[in-house]
Amino acid sequence: MLGPVETRSVSPVFVGRSDELGTLKDALARAEAAEPQALLLGGEAGVGKTRLVEEFAAAACRQGAVVALGGCVEIGADGLPFAPFSTALRALRAAMPDELAAAAAGQEDELARLLPEFGEAPAGRHDEQGMARLFELTARLLERVAAERTVVIALEDLHWADASTRHLLSYLLRTLRTGRLVVLATYRADDIHRRHPMRPLLAELDRLRTVRRIELARFTREEVGRQMAGILAAEPDPAQVDEIFERSDGNAFFVEELAVAWAEGCCTGLTDSLRDLLLVRVEALSESAQRVARIVAEGGSTVEYPLLAAVARLAEDDLIEALRTAVGANILTATPGGDGYRFRHSLVREAVADDLLPGERSRLNRRYAEALEADPNLVQADARVTRLASYWYQAHDPAKALPAVLDASVVARRRHAYSEQLRLLERAMELWDTAPGEVRAALRPVDYTDVYPPCGCDPVTTPLRYLDLMAEAAVAGRFCGERERALKIAKRALRIIEDDEDGDPLRAAWFWVQRSRLVQDLARGDGRQELGTAQDLVRGLPPSEVHADVLANVANWCMLHEPGPEAFAAAERAVEYARMVGAREIELNARITMGCLMVDAGDVENGMAELHRVKETALHEGATGVAARAYVNLPSELHSVGRSREAVPLLREGLAFARRYGLLDSELWIWGNLSDSLYTLGQWDEAAEAATGALGSAAGAKPRGAGALRLAHIALARGEVAEAGRQLAIAHEHYGPHDPMPQALLPVARIAVGVAAEEGRFLDARAELDRALGAGFPPGTQRYGWPLLLAAAAAEADARALPALADGRAEVLDRLAEAVRKLTTGAPLWVAYERWTRAELHRARGTDTAALWSDVVTDFECLDNPYDLARVRRRLAQALLEEAPGEDERDRATELLRLAGAVAGHLGARPLAEAVARLAQRARLSLIDGTVRRAPDPAESLGLTNRERDVLRLVSAGRTNRQIAEELFISPKTASVHVSNILGKLGVSGRGEAAAMAHRLALFPQEHTDRAAAGQRT
């Protein structure tokens, strides 16, 4: 290795960047106050990003912070999985070994996927949550390391980052909550074209308020002059500053190159071509130094000295001399660890690499691969297999590249770098046909393929077949979220099996199951047809893991789409088959499905007991995916039968479990279920926070749709109708049109009916109801059906006095009554909902009584549901006051309204609070301090005069202008003028909309409009 070498062209003076450096120092100060900071530093190549990071790192170290640098490594066109994080963690381990060991305690095996020094990564079962689990552990590791001392993690050259690194960075920046931590990532902005994989990540991070983005601009002329003065150690000639500023356009790296070229007298005749500008000083090197530069350029971002020596094949003295020349010319520089070399600037490396001839490039990659095969210890162990695969691939040698790429895919999977695994497996598919037959016959056995049955008699010894390769790729695509690519692979595999006369039905069934899952995840369909095909393929075959998996998937699909006896039978068979073949996780998942179906069918206690047993078993056996599903479904079933208070502690326990293991989708589902239970218990602020938690990024859109729907529900109850409509639209977008699950369709319909009714669009509310009734209520969907039927019945009752809705009302009420008669009431909660819905139907017909509402109130007084109890108490009070009440009835109504109003005020349920206040005001009841709390008068806020209010009351009753004139003793023309003024003040376009708005705002007591309408009929 080299000793100190004097270099030229780098200015010893740090020029400009005061604002940017100030932003970084401010982030450091905030981090020291235990507020984690995230920054993105972008700029074109050569603009000075690395120099700014170096200055900031030096300043941070002076303040006692630990700085860990990590760079994205480029090998050909490939990035090493997690390379910058591995490098940064390695630096942290060197700087604070005890703190890092303590922070990683208990999770060393899993974290070894990022840093092999922690130990051997476990083989374990892989699933779609594996990468998220690793991400969560990494985030918590960094938070613990930075608990007492400020830590700066600087990740450079993010434009070269592999997909797994991008995903991990995104996760960290979204989830870091505590710790004295600064995460700084740099990227080359001019490389981020429209299709660059960094582009969506930048867009995502831009939406996070916790991430600051810094764009580094080019130097001004004054700054170029100061930079040149630092490089030349003398004040430059102003004319020369003008020329270099014009030619460099303020790019710091180009300024350095031009300034040195001018100082060495070789500026004259320098071409304006960027490549020529970058190569001019390389070509001035000795032949041996140029040769070494070309070798380093093709080796990757960094090349270890022993590997370089093996590839260069120079005498050691000649190699050292060539390196000294290249380092002295500031073309190459030693790596921070002193164990290798890299180009001082990546632009020069790219220019040198681009200048290689095609045959020369292949030859250099072959020599790198041969050197690495001869002595694997030339590079670090965690990069060895991946780099060897890349070198052989770039050498265009399929016989060597195919097995190397397949070996690298196994390493990527073990690190949960599923995106890189998929890329490598796709590369193997590309190489397959060109590799010699004898090479394919000696390939490694099949790696991880879920329950897919590999080709050959013995999967442990049989070489990988092409179909097995496709199965590996399909699983990798599903795990990394590249569902479109995985779906294409599954379709292609099915075509291959169909074209093969001896195609195995179990393999075909497995690919059909993958296709079903992917179609559902992509919102391209409900996946039932694909599952049906898989079911047909395994029917009559001996028990197998594939058979059990097909049945478990069918049972789960039926539970979500068509619950009933068929779903239960499929779950029972899945359990039976899974036990026969020892497929424990399939068995436990099928038992969860059975437990849910039992509860929904009315066998509540036995179903709950089964769900509890599965949860405990899964926790004991370490089946994290099954345990997470139990934490989602068990509390959901408790909530569905009115036991929300039991559900909440389980849900909070489930949140901690999901976070511990990085189970993102499960965490979002749990947040949504927690929102439901908290809403029912009257903890609306906490429910809204939980629903917001369900909107986080996840692999699937459905949990986010459920979160938006819960926010819409809360907004509607609080009278925020526009917000409810906005969240409803978001839910529609997430759910998509192709997978109509009752657990999504029915709640969406319920909120849509409520929003339409609140906006006076009662015909739209009827249309929503008609669509839902047309789809029907499958067995076990009463938890979603009753709230919808109640919302529709209440909307019809509220609109009873609107003549425009008279047509069709009887038919709608009859259809609602028929649906009520058929829907199950298997728990006290749904018995209460049935009585409430029937009472609303009576109200819609004008036949409700205080006795009816008293029974409903009695039902809800036995439940833990304060908001719904307040609503039915208000209805009972209204019924008591409408039945010619005596003092006892008025006293009871007063107490009912007082209790309902208190709950409405506590929850912020403005529509209920205003309805209570209006009812008390009309009945002259005292609710507070012996006085009636006056409800805001909407007519006054709309600017309606008394006469316009009288006219609007008659318009609401369906009167024509002539009839209005006769009743108010005015001319028809005057009535017409009043109507026009009213339409303008209400902001509506017609009499029907005006009537609907008057009804929605409760401008007139119900009995007034009833009498007006009755007068019209006579």
Side-chain angles (χ1 to χ4, degrees), residues 240-316:
Q240 192 62 43
V241 173
D242 288 338
E243 181 181 347
I244 289 183
F245 175 65
E246 181 180 350
R247 300 185 70 178
S248 68
D249 205 14
N251 182 287
F253 179 67
F254 295 161
V255 170
E256 290 180 358
E257 295 297 303
L258 289 166
V260 171
W262 175 78
E264 294 178 350
C266 59
C267 192
T268 305
L270 189 63
T271 173
D272 287 330
S273 163
L274 173 60
R275 180 181 296 179
D276 288 347
L277 171 63
L278 296 174
L279 291 177
V280 65
R281 285 196 298 117
V282 176
E283 292 170 350
L285 299 175
S286 65
E287 243 344 285
S288 59
Q290 289 188 52
R291 178 183 173 190
V292 169
R294 288 193 291 271
I295 293 171
V296 173
E298 194 58 25
S301 302
T302 299
V303 179
E304 297 79 355
Y305 174 75
L307 178 61
L308 176 60
V311 174
R313 301 176 183 176
L314 292 172
E316 187 168 12

Side-chain angles (χ1 to χ4, degrees), residues 468-609:
D468 302 337
L469 173 59
M470 299 184 83
E472 288 186 16
V475 172
R478 203 178 79 229
F479 284 3
C480 72
E482 291 287 349
R483 295 180 174 87
E484 192 70 60
R485 288 156 70 186
L487 181 60
K488 289 179 180 178
I489 292 167
K491 288 180 176 179
R492 187 178 167 200
L494 287 168
R495 286 195 297 270
I496 292 173
I497 294 173
E498 289 169 5
D499 293 340
D500 184 358
E501 293 182 359
D502 299 323
D504 184 78
L506 288 178
R507 294 186 194 104
W510 184 86
F511 276 111
W512 277 112
V513 170
Q514 305 312 302
R515 185 166 170 174
S516 171
R517 298 172 68 171
L518 294 164
V519 161
Q520 292 179 73
D521 289 341
L522 289 167
R524 303 275 179 80
D526 63 8
R528 184 65 182 97
Q529 182 179 350
E530 290 81 0
L531 280 179
T533 303
Q535 207 170 0
D536 291 340
L537 285 164
V538 299
R539 188 172 285 116
L541 296 179
S544 66
E545 281 193 277
V546 173
H547 202 154
D549 189 50
V550 169
L551 290 172
N553 276 279
V554 168
N556 189 56
W557 187 95
C558 289
M559 180 185 75
L560 296 174
H561 295 82
E562 299 172 359
E566 181 185 349
F568 192 81
E572 281 188 315
R573 290 198 303 276
V575 171
E576 178 186 359
Y577 277 45
R579 284 173 176 165
M580 288 181 186
V581 299
R584 186 61 166 161
E585 289 198 15
I586 295 176
E587 175 199 336
L588 293 175
N589 267 313
R591 285 173 58 189
I592 288 179
T593 301
M594 286 177 60
C596 293
L597 290 168
M598 291 163 72
V599 173
D600 294 342
D603 190 3
V604 175
E605 294 308 320
N606 286 328
M608 294 295 185

Side-chain angles (χ1 to χ4, degrees), residues 757-770:
E758 283 297 311
E759 293 178 344
R761 298 182 289 106
F762 291 101
L763 292 178
D764 289 342
R766 284 182 178 177
E768 289 288 349
L769 174 66
D770 184 65

Side-chain angles (χ1 to χ4, degrees), residues 432-445:
W432 190 271
D433 289 335
T434 55
E438 58 271 19
V439 171
R440 296 201 300 267
L443 292 174
R444 64 161 173 81

Side-chain angles (χ1 to χ4, degrees), residues 806-828:
D807 289 344
R809 177 177 289 122
E811 180 186 353
V812 172
L813 295 180
D814 288 344
R815 293 186 68 193
L816 279 169
E818 180 66 14
V820 167
R821 186 180 66 80
K822 292 179 178 179
L823 199 57
T824 303
T825 55

Side-chain angles (χ1 to χ4, degrees), residues 27-263:
L28 185 67
R30 290 170 181 263
E32 288 173 346
E35 183 183 341
Q37 298 293 299
L39 304 103
L40 292 173
L41 176 61
E44 68 179 9
V47 80
K49 300 183 292 297
T50 298
R51 185 66 186 274
L52 176 59
V53 171
E54 290 171 350
E55 288 293 321
F56 170 60
C61 289
R62 287 194 295 271
Q63 294 186 32
V66 176
V67 179
L69 297 174
C72 297
V73 179
E74 187 187 29
I75 308 171
D78 310 322
L80 280 175
F82 302 124
F85 286 103
S86 298
T87 305
L89 287 175
R90 202 166 274 122
L92 282 180
R93 189 167 182 264
M96 41 199 313
D98 295 338
E99 293 91 334
L100 190 69
Q107 301 293 345
E108 292 91 345
D109 288 351
E110 194 68 28
L111 289 167
R113 303 183 194 279
L114 278 184
L115 188 62
E117 286 87 335
F118 278 132
E120 185 70 26
R125 181 178 175 87
H126 288 255
D127 53 41
E128 289 167 270
Q129 304 287 356
M131 187 158 59
R133 193 157 51 244
L134 176 62
F135 290 0
E136 176 65 16
L137 292 175
T138 306
R140 302 295 80 81
L141 172 74
L142 292 176
E143 287 181 346
R144 288 192 288 268
V145 165
E148 302 296 333
R149 188 172 177 186
T150 304
V151 173
V152 177
I153 304 291
L155 310 173
E156 292 199 275
D157 300 323
L158 207 59
H159 51 280
W160 287 332
D162 59 285
S164 297
T165 295
R166 294 194 301 271
H167 295 331
L168 176 52
L169 177 65
S170 172
Y171 185 87
L172 288 178
L173 299 191
R174 283 186 288 105
T175 61
L176 287 173
R177 306 179 187 95
T178 62
R180 303 169 62 176
L181 184 67
V182 178
V183 179
L184 171 63
T186 73
Y187 65 94
R188 193 189 289 178
D190 49 331
D191 269 12
I192 310 301
H193 51 77
R194 287 184 61 188
R195 301 193 177 204
H196 195 286
M198 266 289 292
R199 196 177 182 91
L201 173 62
L202 292 175
E204 176 189 347
L205 297 180
D206 275 343
R207 292 191 290 269
L208 297 179
R209 288 177 294 177
T210 55
V211 178
R212 284 189 273 183
R213 190 164 166 183
I214 303 171
E215 290 292 339
L216 215 53
R218 297 173 178 178
F219 280 157
T220 63
R221 184 199 175 284
E222 178 187 355
E223 290 168 334
V224 167
R226 290 166 54 199
Q227 183 186 12
M228 290 178 62
I231 293 170
L232 303 174
E235 198 63 33
D237 180 79
Q240 192 62 43
V241 173
D242 288 338
E243 181 181 347
I244 289 183
F245 175 65
E246 181 180 350
R247 300 185 70 178
S248 68
D249 205 14
N251 182 287
F253 179 67
F254 295 161
V255 170
E256 290 180 358
E257 295 297 303
L258 289 166
V260 171
W262 175 78

